């Protein structure tokens, strides 16, 4: 029963880590044409979403560690190793991709369209990294 609860928690946190980014794609479209006040509100929603994803990621990592410790897989299993590699890449990417770009909107003379384009590209890259981790965790490929 405890293992199933951990698995449920892990899946729920994966959904909470991925889901907001699909909503942010729609928000980015609105940011392209928004006036300054509305754009600030969108930036706040974007920042809050990234913060939610970070916290969901903490639960995701903790539940993943507990699943490996209590499950049939070793830390040396290929899909576990690859998931960890992609996870560290995504953590590094998340730290560098969004906050500095969002802060750029407050700089005088900032090219807001370029910043929106960068956010759009970053969201897709992050979605790709998360989907890659999800693929490793669900398909469990034996790579070596």
């Amino acid at each position: 029963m405890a293992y199933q609860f951990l698995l449920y928690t892990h899946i729920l946190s994966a959904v909470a880590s991925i889901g907001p980014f699909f909503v942010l794609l729609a928000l980015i479209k609105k940011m392209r044409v928004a006036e300054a006040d509305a754009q600030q509100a969108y930036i706040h929603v974007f920042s809050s979403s990234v913060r939610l994803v970070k916290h969901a990621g903490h639960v995701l990592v903790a539940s993943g560690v507990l699943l490996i410790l209590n499950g049939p897989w070793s830390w040396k299993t290929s899909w576990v190793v690859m998931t960890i590699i992609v996870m560290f890449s995504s953590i590094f990417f998340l730290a560098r991709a969004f906050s500095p770009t969002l802060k750029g909107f407050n700089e005088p003379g900032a090219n807001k369209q370029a910043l929106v384009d960068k956010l759009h590209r970053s969201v897709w890259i992050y979605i790709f990294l998360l989907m890659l981790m999800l693929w490793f965790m669900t398909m469990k490929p034996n790579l070596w």
Side-chain angles (χ1 to χ4, degrees):
M1 181 69 157
Y3 188 83
Q4 286 88 358
F5 178 74
L6 279 174
L7 184 59
Y8 177 79
T9 302
H10 192 66
I11 292 168
L12 185 63
S13 60
V15 169
S17 293
I18 297 169
F21 283 99
F22 289 101
V23 174
L24 291 178
L25 289 171
L27 187 73
I28 288 171
K29 283 184 179 182
K30 293 181 182 244
M31 288 176 76
R32 290 189 187 284
V33 296
E35 297 295 324
D37 290 341
Q39 196 163 57
Q40 284 303 311
Y42 294 145
I43 290 168
H44 179 72
V45 170
F46 206 104
S47 296
S48 297
S49 297
V50 170
R51 203 168 24 258
L52 168 70
V53 165
K54 286 179 184 179
H55 292 305
H58 296 138
V59 176
L60 185 65
V61 170
S63 60
V65 167
L66 291 172
L67 284 168
I68 295 297
L69 292 175
N70 294 300
W73 297 284
S74 149
W75 288 104
K76 296 176 185 176
T77 305
S78 63
W79 68 268
V80 173
V81 171
M82 293 306 296
T83 300
I84 291 169
I85 290 170
V86 175
M87 179 192 68
F88 279 114
S89 300
S90 70
I91 290 169
F92 179 77
F93 182 78
L94 183 65
R96 303 261 184 226
F98 297 108
S99 293
T101 305
L102 292 170
K103 288 177 185 173
F105 281 93
N106 295 323
E107 293 178 8
N111 182 343
K112 295 189 180 189
Q113 289 305 313
L115 292 170
V116 170
D117 289 343
K118 186 174 180 183
L119 285 176
H120 187 252
R121 187 174 47 256
S122 295
V123 166
W124 277 113
I125 292 169
Y126 196 67
I127 287 172
F128 171 77
L129 290 170
L130 294 172
M131 291 292 118
L132 185 58
M133 277 190 290
L134 186 62
W135 183 80
F136 283 124
M137 288 184 282
T138 56
M139 300 307 290
K140 297 177 179 28
N142 187 13
L143 303 173
W144 57 78

